[in-house]
Every structure is written in structure tokens, then in C-alpha cells.
Amino acid sequence: MRVKLQLTSLNNNMKGTFMRRLLLLALCCALLCQAGAATAADVDDLINKLPASSASEGQKIIAQIVKLGPPAYEELSKKLVAPGEGDNSKVRFAMHGLTVYVVRPGAELERRVYVRSLIKALGARDGREIKAFLIRQLQLAGKDDAVEPLSGYLGQETLCEPATQALTRIGTPKAAAALNEALPGASGRHLITIIRALGKLRFKPAAKDMLKHAMSADAITRRTALWALANIGDFSAAGVLKKAAETKAEYERARATDFYLLFASRLAEAGDKRACAAICRELVKTRTDPRENNVVCAALSTLVSAIGEDAMADLLAAADSKDKEIREAALKLAASIPGEAATAKWASRAKTASPETRAAIVAMLGRRGDKASQSAVLGALKDKEQVVRLAAITSARRFGTQEALTGLFAALGNDNPTDIKAIKRQLSLLPGSKVVSAAVGALSKVPPRSRVALIELLASRKAKEHVDAVFAAASDPDDSVRVAAVKALGSLADEKALPKIVDLLLNARKSAERAAAQKVIVALSGKIADPEKRADAILAALGKTAGEKRALLLHILPHIGGKNALKAIVADAKHADGKVREAALRAMTAWPDADAAPELLNVARTAANATYQVLALRAYIRLTALPSKRPASETLSMYKAAMSAARLPDDRKAVLAGLAGVKDVNALKFAASYLDDKDVAAEAALAAVSIVAPAKDGEKGLVGHDVEQILKKVIAVAKDTGIQDQAKKYLTSMPKSE
Amino acid sequence: MSRKGLSRRRFLSGSLAAAAAVTVIPRMALGAGTPAPSDMITHAVIGTGGMGMGHVGYVKNDPIGKLLAVCDVDEQHLARAVKHGGCKGYKDFRDVLDRGDIDVAHVPTPPHWHGLISIAAAQAGCDVWCEKPMTRTIGEGQHVIDAVHRHGRMFRLNTWFRFHRNMYGMGCPAKPIKKLVNNGLLGWPVTMLLSPWTGFGFKLRQWSGRINDKPQPVPKHFDYDRWLGPAPYKPYTRHRTHGSFRGYWDYDGGGLGDMGQHYLDPAQYILDKDGTSPVVIEAYAPWPPHPDAVLLWGRVEMKYADGCRLILESGEWGERKTQGRPYVEGPKGKIYKGFRCDPGGLRNALRSLPDPEPMIGDFNISVKTRRPFGLDELKGHRSCTLVNLAKIAVRTGRKLRFDPVKQRFIGDEEANRFINQPMRAPWHL
């Protein structure tokens, strides 16, 4: 191994064919000596460890095979078998590992030795697949040293393709010359394979011989030759490529036209930019069918690649195209031509363009991003056409500079709803705190609609540090601004600000403002951890208010909850002021939990006002029906109390509807007691069938003699056939009572 | 030029008189909810295997989509697609493109065909809806970009997790993670871990190739030579083709090919790396690789120029180094599967952060407005490059250095041979 390292090092320093050959000979001798003792068993031992558990382990094993040298390589290649004729996976792991290993940087001599062995094996082994495998290794490891043996397979039916691929991959002039030598004798599929390879390698000497194939009657041969000629870029092919591009058949025309443009690019690369430009301009001019818009786009693209800013006039003309695809393509290409001079031309062009084109130019200037573009874009913020202003708004945001921000905020002064919406959207995409501070600064300078947009922006960015500015806006003379500000406080203020927001509620001038404030108060109160403290701000204000304002506060309390809040409502239900009393009663009916039930029952029983009585009873029934851990007997008692307070048939119906959810035999009996009440018999029947049925799948329903009797009565009394059927079905499936 | 059928292109390109004649037909005259002819977009689906039938479904369920053609080299697949799609069937994609009335060509073939068909479709003036992974090699991806750009086409890659409300096993969309990462709330640079423990399994065993399979006769209904197309000829086995082709390097890259771009595209988006690629790539896998069959690997690590890292771990081979670690990790914070954040307050910061640049998530909008789709050829190529870099690292077993601008490996010409791989004639890029 030390010998090998020294030789490698020497090779890096030495130049000259003779010395390299000498070195290779020396290395081969050294490796052969070391490997003299290599046996099939050695190789088997090593390859049986493959694949290894890591690259470094695997490479150590491969290095040992390399150390054994050509005898080991020969041993390996002898073990190759065709697919299906045995397991040679270890051999293939090893040989492929060798291929990858010897092509690592700095291992040239190892590669050469291995390649020689592969070539030897290629000659020695039979079978298409085995030879193809060896050729694929040469494809990865071979250089000029593999060209000659590989070229011997170019005339062979089954191996021409892999040999050509390997030569193409090697890609040197020697490899190309070998392919070119095989061209005259090739036919059929081989011919296509070799033409393709020569085209890929751009081998100019092949161009003249290839011209006749570009006119072949066979479509694939013809197409391959056209592409190869285009890729080679020899001027002699100009006529045949032009003619092919004018063919009528759709796919053939599309491909040949693209080859023609490829040819144009190659001419430009070779320095003939004029010829390239002529081809591109001819295609732009002649391909007028909108179905060939893509050809115009491709021609413009090739033109810009070839002549850069000299294509400006072409792009300016294309930007006027009536076809959107071409306009967009031209402007996309325009963005790739740098320089303020180009920007100036576009800015000037925008002045005379149609609004749609002007908008597209402004969008493109935004993508260019240079200083001159910025000034044109900011100017377009004042364009009289909305489509242009909208493009300018998006472009200005892309700059993200202070000037652009100033321009956008100034544009808010236009008071155009669509512009304002767009500006707000674009501002919301700008990172950092600068935009938020600027929005606060602009609040006092823009019309109300824009103030609303800025406040919404502050809310969406959670700009809590600017909550004072929003509080100030909550006293704005404009109604919509005040509403927006109050809504924004829901995102920006915290629970400590509740007294101030309660003040805003009490002083609100519009119902929308009041509704917004109530929502914010509820939301912020909910953030207080102790439920009993959530209503403190309202209760404090309640002590200082009367009349309508007091009523306003009472309306919120059910949405906040808490024992103290309920106490205040109960107290105000007896208030001398009728409006306060009504608000308190309505608040009580909206109470969220059963704590309010006793007081509601009391009102339902005693209220002189029929409306209050009905409202209280319905609220009581609603609270009774809420999910709870009460025993069923207690719930039944509550429904019985409700029934006793019910004065109207509709109230009794409501009680029975609630009762339907109590899965208890006594509840069933209570419901059944109303089967003879003609006003509510139907509801009683429905309640009965609901009560007996299981609450959910897997549970059991009610059974027993009483159940049986009641259901029979339901069947007799109920007029609704659906209820009757339900009762019958249940009776049939129910176990008989003993 | 032969033109058949009715397409948006054809409609727009008709003579002025014909256009006028059509445009006077009011939308209502076509029946309530019926799109006007100029609003319809015509489609062809090339490749009608498992995913291809998915694409047939996309078009059939699109109120402004009209399926005109399906194409497959397997007569059984084709017959099924023709029946389902109610349209004409073709065995050769070139005949589909020859129709001249296709607005959007779908390319849900095996990946060794993606590049060639996408390029041919762009040359024929079609917009392209391509299945993932975008291309089998980095070189093919570069050619697709060139063809799409030069011909002014719209391109959509068919993976959607940068838009989707649920990013695989993460249980949340990419957007909020991107907001936290791009605004520096996790600190910088960050490391992203894609492993079964962060919700991203690579299904390596499912997509492994077979070695020593005995060649089988090619079924009569299947044109194997055309299925191979640009890939080297290898004796036919059923396992090389439908439903299991990913297990062979000639056509795809195993689990990396199947799941890689689904996972790596949102990662690239979150890291704001849509325009670049990693500079160092290293794989931990059994070595040497099999020359034909894709087998297992353990971990692939990729590092960007700014120090951000992507770590892919299969959990199916070798050490499990990333178990228990977060999806994204920076010096100041971490985000775990299910969008669990450390510190927990990170989530609260989300609302104060600006949204990322809006993207078009509906390809019909791109086709009609000519504005690029959110996951277009450029972004698709860059995220597919991650897949292809990982494949090359596994195949070479070497630490690779990559130039993201030139898109070439540095100082390793042999690794560069994987960037542009030869094709079987007559196919070429």
C-alpha cells in the first residue's frame, strides 16, 4: 500500500506520457506481486461482507480488493451470471463498488488498472446482459482508455446502445471520432443511436454526413438528425432546419421549430449573433397564429439570450401584443435585462401604453428592483387607471424601502376603497416594526376609510405597543373609525384596559360601536383567570350608572357569568326603573347555567307581566335541560315545578319537550299523565316514546309493565303514525313483563 | 396544421368571425352553471397508472376542465382510462401533442419520462402539470426550466404540502412554521429533521428494488420498450414496472423518489431556500450501493451555505440519531410534531408576524392569468434537486460539495456524471 501511495504522489507531480506509462507499468507490477496469492477464496471472503454497514467500511473492503489487483477483478468478472441464472448480487455490489471507488478524485492509476480489467472481461465473457453490465461500469469509470474497445461494439445488434451511451458519457474528442467512424456503416436503430450521440457531443465533422439523414423518410431518424444538426450548430444545416420548422404536422412542427431555435442559439454562441437574431425575428414575425404563441415566446427568449439589451425594441414591440401570453413573456424577459437605461425605456414606454400593458410594465419594474424602477412605480401609484395603481401598489411593496412606504401611505389619501384594500394587504406582508410605526404616524393624515384600514392593519399585526393610538381612534369623529378602533382593541388591549373599554361602551354613539365594545368586553373578561373577578369592571360601572346605560351593562353580564354578576341581575330585576328591570330580567333569562334557575322559577310563578312570565319559564326549562350531574328524580322535580308554573298549552308543550330527555320511569309516568290532555297529547306521546328509547347505541331502554301499558296507551291516543310506529316497534322488541 | 376538438387555445385562436359568433352566445344559453367555451381548459393525461388515474379524476372533477386524451403504453391501463375519462386513448404521447388542442398536459408517468414529456409538451405549446419527483436527474430539471421559460408556459408540480392545511405527520400547515422560522423566532441557522419521529416516513422497504429476479416474458398488452424509453434496456421483470418501478435507479430513487419531494418541498419553502440548494451533502447508507436496485439508507445530511441543515432519517436502517428531536430546531426555539413549540409562547407571536408572499394555489388561475403557480418549475426543480442530491450521495458514498449556482459538484467529476445521465436513443434533452 505504501508503494501505491508513493506512486500516486509521484503521479501528481510528474508530467509526460512516457513517465505516466512507466508509472502505470510499475504500479501494475507492484499490484500483481501483491496479488499473486489472490485466490477465489480471498475474493469470496471479501465480497461476502458487502454491502458494508457504512461507506468507510465498504471502502475498506473494496480497497482490499483493489490491493489484490487484476487477478481479483478477473475472479469477480468470472462470477458474473446473467439475470435469473443464479445469485451474483455480491459480485455486482463489489464490481459496482470498485467502479465508484476507483473514480474518486486522486485515484487515476487505480482507475486505469480496473478499466483494463473490465475491458479484458468484456472480451472474455459472453452473454448480452453480462457484457452490458461491464459496459455500464466502463460508462462510469472509462475515459479515453475505454474508447477503442467500446467502439468495437457499435456495430453489434444488442450492444450498440450501451456502448454508445458509454462513449457519450466519456465524451472526449476521441470518443466522438469513434462514433463518427461508425456512422457510415450504421442503419436502423443503430443509426439513430449514433446520430443522437454525435449530436449530444456536438461533433462538427459529423454535420455534413448527417444532412441526408435530416431528410430521411423515417420520422425518428429525421427528427434525431435535425436535433443533432441543431445542437452541433454548423451553418450548413440552416436550410434543412428552416424547412423542417415549416412542416404542417403539429408535433413535428413544434419539435423542428424548437430545434431551429436551438440552432440559432448555437450560432450565437459561436459568435454569429446576427444570424441568430434573424432566425428569431423571422419566427416572431411569421408565427402569428395564437396557437403558436409559445414559439414567439421562445424566439424572444433566444433573442434576448443572444443579443441582450439590443433586443429591447423587440421586447417593447412584443409588450404591445394583443396576446397576454406574449406580453407576459416579453415583460418577464425585460426583467432580465439589467441597467437603468433599460428601465428608463420601459418607464417611458409605459406612458403611452394601454392601461393593461402599463400595469404589466409596472409589475415588471417592481421585479427589476432598481432605483429608477422604484421612482417609476411610485409615480404609477397616482395613475388615473385603477389597474395600473393596483400593479404599482404590489410593486411598491416589493421595494420595501422608506420611499416606497411613504408612497403607499400617501396613496391612502386617494380614499379609493379598492386601492385602500390593496395597500392594506401589501402593508400586511411587510416584515418588521417599521411599517407598524409608520401606520400609526399616518393615522391622523388620511381619510376615514384609510384610517379604518390602518387600524385593522395594527390589529392584524398585534401591534400592542400602539394600543394608545387605537384608544385615541376610538374617540374619532367618524363612526366607522370608532367601530374599527373598538374592534381592534379586542386584539390589542388586555384585561387591565376593561374599565376604559366599559367607558367606551357607555359613551358609544352608534349601535355598531356598542356591539363591538360589548364583544371586546366579553372577550377580554374571559382572559381573567378567576371567574368571580371577570365581571368586576362591569359591576363597578353598574354602581355609577342608571337608566339605559345601566341596561347596556346588564346585557353583557350573562356572557361573562359569576355569582356576583347574577346577584346584581337578581337585584336589578326588582329595580324601580322599568327599563333596568326589563334588562335585568332579560339578562337573567340569558344566564348560561342552572344557578339562575330558582330565581327564574320564582319569576315564572309570580310575575304579573305575562311576557316576563313566559320568558322566565322558557329560560328555566332551557337551564333544566342543560347537561348536569343531577339525579333524574331532581330534574323531574324541576320539570314538575315548571309544569305547575305553566299557564299556556305552549308552555306545557315546552316542558314535555324538555322532559323527553329524562330517561326515567317516573318521568315517563309524568309525561303519560298528559296523554289525555287534548292540548298537549301529541307532545306527551312523543315525550313518552323518547323517554323509553335508549339514550345512545349500546344502552338499554326502559322496560316493565308500566312501560308496556303506557306505550299501548300512546298507540291508542297518538294521531301521528310515526309516533305510533315507534311505540309499536319498541313494544315488539321489548322483553315481556313477568 | 391539423386541429381537432375545442380548446381554450383553439377558441382564442379562431378567426375573428368565428370568435364573434361564439362570444355572442350568452353563458346562460349554455345552461345554468355551464362555463363559457372560452373558460374551459382542455387536458390530456399522459401515463394512466395509479397516479395517472388520480389525474384523470382531477380533470373530471374540475368544472372548467375537459379531458380530451389519455395515453399509456399498457393497453390495459389505457382501456381503463378511456372508460373512466370518456375520451380518446393514445399509445404514444407524441400523437397526443400532435392534436394541437391540448391546453394542459399532465405527466404522471414514472419519473424517467417526466423531463422529456414536460419539455415536449412545452415545445408543443401546452402548460404542464407534472407529477413528483419533478425529474430523475438535476440536468433534466434544468432543461425543463429552460423549455418552460422559453416557451412562456405555466408549470405545476403535483405536490401540495407548501399549501396544504396539514403537512403530513406534522399535523399543521407549513405557513405558521415558515413565519416563525423566517422571522428569526427560532434563531438562525436552523436544522430541520425529516424522520418518522417528526411525521415523515420514507417507506424505503416498500419501495426497494429486487436483485436476482428472473427475467419474465413481456405481457402482450404492454409495450416495454416504449415504457423504458430513455432508460437503459434491462430484461423485463414485472417488478421493474407498474407500482414498483421506484425500486430501480434507472426510473426513480425508491422512497426518496416517492416521498422525498412531498417532504422536502415544504422544508425548502419554510427555510426560504426556493432559489438555492445545499452546499454539502453526506449520506449514511450501506455501501457499495447496488448498481440497479434501490435499497436502504439510514441518514442523509445536507447543509446550506448559511449553515441551515436538513437531516433526513429513514428509521429503517442504521442508528436512529434523531428520535425524540424536533422538526425544526434553532438556537432560540424548537417546533415538534403537532406544532408543539418550545418555548410555548412562540405560537402567540404568530399573529404579529406578516404572512409569507401569497401564492397561486389553483392551476386554472395560472393558466388563465399567465401568473406562475405557487409550486412552479423553479421551486419544483430546487426541491427535486434535494431528492437528486440525496440519491447521488447514497450512490457515491462520498461527502459531496455542491455549487448551487452552477448546479455542479465541486472537485468530483464522477459525481457530476449523475447530473446528466445518457439516454437511450432516440431520446435526448
Side-chain angles (χ1 to χ4, degrees), chain B residues 315-366:
Chain B
E316 295 184 59
W317 183 85
E319 286 180 273
R320 297 177 170 190
K321 288 199 165 183
T322 64
Q323 198 161 2
R325 285 177 61 188
Y327 175 57
V328 200
E329 184 174 14
K332 293 194 319 203
K334 299 168 188 173
I335 301 171
Y336 291 85
K337 186 177 174 181
F339 202 43
R340 186 165 60 80
C341 297
D342 177 17
L346 282 174
R347 290 176 74 135
N348 300 334
L350 272 178
R351 275 198 63 191
S352 62
L353 302 173
D355 276 345
E357 186 83 17
M359 294 181 281
I360 296 179
D362 177 348
F363 196 45
N364 285 340
I365 294 175
S366 287

Side-chain angles (χ1 to χ4, degrees), chain A residues 106-128:
Chain A
E108 176 59 14
L109 290 176
E110 286 175 18
R111 186 199 65 78
R112 283 193 200 182
V113 173
Y114 181 58
V115 163
R116 283 164 73 105
S117 296
L118 286 172
I119 291 166
K120 194 174 164 195
L122 189 59
R125 294 302 314 269
D126 288 327
R128 193 257 172 215

Side-chain angles (χ1 to χ4, degrees), chain A residues 614-629:
Chain A
V614 170
L615 286 174
L617 183 64
R618 295 288 166 88
Y620 178 78
I621 296 167
R622 175 179 62 79
L623 294 183
T624 307
L626 289 176
S628 83
K629 290 177 181 168

Side-chain angles (χ1 to χ4, degrees), chain A residues 185-226:
Chain A
S187 61
R189 193 160 183 160
H190 293 179
L191 176 65
I192 295 167
T193 299
I194 290 169
I195 290 173
R196 194 200 68 99
L198 287 164
K200 178 87 185 155
L201 295 174
R202 299 175 62 183
F203 193 62
K204 268 203 167 174
K208 286 200 170 57
D209 284 347
M210 232 182 255
L211 278 170
K212 64 174 183 286
H213 300 301
M215 289 173 274
S216 165
D218 177 66
I220 296 177
T221 307
R222 187 172 65 242
R223 212 178 283 151
T224 310
L226 284 168

